[in-house]
Each structure stands twice: as C-alpha cells, then as structure tokens.
Amino acid sequence: MTPSGTSPGTAPGRPLVVLLSGPNLNLLGEREPAVYGKETLDDHVAAATAEADASGLALEHHQTNHEGELVELVHGARGRAHAIVVNAGALSHYSWALHDALASFDGVVVELHLSNPAAREPFRHTSVVAPVSDGSIAGFGGLGYRLAVQAVARMVAATKAGSGT
Ligand code: DQA
C-alpha cells in the first residue's frame, strides 16, 4: 500500500520538517479515545502545520502502517529536510530498522507520542527511537504536535545562528 502523504505547509526557501506517523495512527479519533483522544490525525497534522507556518518552517506529513515504508520515508528526508518529527506508534518499541534509518538522517529528530509510554505497559517502556533522537515529547496529547514543531524551530534557529547563516 502506498503511504498517505500531504504537504500542505511546503513552501520554497523554508526549512522543511517531515512529520512521520506510523502504524494505526490513521485510526486516531476512533482508536482507544480514552488513551489517544478524540482528535483525528488530520487534526494533529493541521495543528503541526499551523505551528510550522507560524515558525517559518515548511511541513510535510506521511502516514504508513508498514515498517519498510517508514524506513523509506526516513531515507526520503535525507539531504532534503532539516528535521524529522516521528510518532512511530508501536514500531517505536522494537524497530531497529527504523532506529538505523534515523541514525542515517543528518538533522534534528524529535520522537513524539500522544500518550506517555513510560506510564503504560512495560513493553512500551523501551524506545529504540529515543537513542537516535535529539529529544522526546510524550504524554501531552495533541499539544505534543505543536510542541515538537516549536522544538524543531528553536533547534533549526540555533543551528543557523551557530553556522552564521
Ligand atoms: C503511541 C504510543 C505507542 O506505544 C503506541 O503503540 C501507539 C501510539 C502514542 O502516540 O502515544 O500506537 O506512539
């Protein structure tokens, strides 16, 4: 299956953030609303896009239920995007292929979760994404999407200031 993708915030000249959504996140709004809330993935993408626009960033979003496609989406961000924000769903807890792909990305990586996996079942306490991320945002529900883009904006600005560009 082809991963679904949108690029509502794409604008030439703006640093690009690639937002990646892993398995089952297409079901947000219907899936376990007591845990993940009633907002849909489209709602979260809209919030992240609004935050990116306000921060002078472009944002592109892709969702896939397939591990290999998520790996290829990370490869596709290489050399093109300044940052990846990734909510990898359950793949966060065991996909070493995703870990290795993210390790190959030369930019900011933010791990994102709606819930707080550390406060849930033991299998969610391991993250293979965290060791290859600059930081993680978890447990703030939909607000996390805005926080993740804000973190990226700060880090990209700091990098530019540091490089003198
Ligand atoms: C999640 C947490 C994961 O443990 C879970 O498998 C998900 C969603 C979150 O956003 O809270 O699918 O990544």
Side-chain angles (χ1 to χ4, degrees):
M1 194 163 61
T2 311
S4 70
T6 57
S7 51
T10 302
R14 293 180 170 212
L16 176 64
V17 185
V18 172
L19 172 62
L20 298 177
S21 301
N24 301 307
L25 296 181
N26 55 311
L27 298 181
L28 289 175
E30 299 170 29
R31 171 193 181 212
E32 300 182 77
V35 178
Y36 299 117
K38 290 183 183 161
E39 290 174 298
T40 65
L41 184 57
D42 282 350
D43 294 332
H44 297 312
V45 173
T49 302
E51 197 65 48
D53 283 345
S55 305
L57 302 171
L59 187 139
E60 178 183 298
H61 173 249
H62 303 274
Q63 189 275 329
T64 177
N65 292 319
H66 303 277
E67 181 178 13
E69 284 178 355
L70 199 56
V71 167
E72 286 180 3
L73 286 164
V74 173
H75 294 178
R78 278 163 44 86
R80 199 169 65 85
H82 283 68
I84 293 175
V85 174
V86 57
N87 184 345
L91 292 173
S92 313
H93 310 305
Y94 65 88
S95 175
W96 292 105
L98 177 62
H99 167 104
D100 286 354
L102 289 168
S104 81
F105 177 72
D106 190 15
V108 175
V109 176
V110 178
E111 177 187 25
L112 174 63
H113 299 283
L114 289 155
S115 67
N116 179 3
R120 299 181 63 196
E121 304 97 310
F123 79 88
R124 297 184 204 274
H125 297 179
T126 296
S127 170
V128 297
V129 171
V132 285
S133 297
D134 291 281
S136 303
I137 295 173
F140 297 106
L143 174 62
Y145 283 80
R146 285 186 178 273
L147 296 176
V149 174
Q150 284 178 19
V152 166
R154 296 279 187 98
M155 292 194 72
V156 168
T159 306
K160 283 188 172 174
S163 70
T165 56

